[in-house]
Amino acid sequence: MENESHLYILWTTDNPVTALKMVLMYGGNSLLKGWWDKVTIIIWGAADELVATNPTIQARIKELMDMGAHFTTCKSCAETLGVADQLKDLGIEVKYWGEALTKLLKSGAKILTV
């Protein structure tokens, strides 16, 4: 089952310390140390604005992308907050996540929510 080696991090907080010292640190170390084969970080809600406006976090996201992490965001939230284009420009996938998240939850996928 693919989900056994794929970690999804659902990132909703706009706290920069939590972003750097939990979401991005654990996500990066998960790939670097081989804890998980795949890491997908789902940016949702307040985290959209943080990513769109914080150059330090943007740089760390780029580093994780270079390591193989996949970043995606909720299109509805990003559009409502007016940051969808900025996130796309950073290389972040922008898509509707409601149904996809529901499928992941029902499948038993490994989801860490922050």
Side-chain angles (χ1 to χ4, degrees), residues 92-106:
I92 296 169
E93 174 189 44
V94 178
K95 74 175 209 172
Y96 292 112
W97 259 100
E99 186 176 343
L101 179 61
T102 301
K103 287 180 182 178
L104 284 175
L105 290 166
K106 288 182 175 184

Side-chain angles (χ1 to χ4, degrees), residues 43 48 73-80 84 88 94-97:
I43 306 165
D48 284 324
T73 188
C74 171
K75 183 174 182 174
S76 180
C77 293
E79 287 178 344
T80 300
K88 284 180 194 173
V94 178
K95 74 175 209 172
Y96 292 112
W97 259 100

Side-chain angles (χ1 to χ4, degrees), residues 1-110:
M1 179 175 183
E2 179 205 351
N3 286 340
E4 290 299 316
S5 63
H6 191 163
L7 174 66
Y8 296 86
I9 300 175
L10 178 58
W11 172 16
T12 63
T13 181
D14 63 353
N15 182 301
V17 175
T18 301
L20 290 168
K21 298 299 181 187
M22 193 294 136
V23 174
L24 299 172
M25 180 183 283
Y26 185 72
N29 281 335
S30 292
L31 291 170
L32 186 65
K33 297 175 187 263
W35 299 335
W36 297 93
D37 293 336
K38 293 182 181 180
V39 174
T40 296
I41 298 177
I42 305 165
I43 306 165
W44 201 310
D48 284 324
E49 286 184 322
L50 178 65
V51 171
T53 60
N54 188 307
T56 301
I57 289 174
Q58 292 171 2
R60 185 66 180 132
I61 287 172
K62 173 75 169 103
E63 290 172 6
L64 267 70
M65 286 178 169
D66 290 345
M67 294 169 55
H70 177 68
F71 283 81
T72 181
T73 188
C74 171
K75 183 174 182 174
S76 180
C77 293
E79 287 178 344
T80 300
L81 296 168
V83 296
D85 289 338
Q86 291 164 277
L87 298 176
K88 284 180 194 173
D89 289 346
L90 293 170
I92 296 169
E93 174 189 44
V94 178
K95 74 175 209 172
Y96 292 112
W97 259 100
E99 186 176 343
L101 179 61
T102 301
K103 287 180 182 178
L104 284 175
L105 290 166
K106 288 182 175 184
S107 77
K110 309 299 185 221

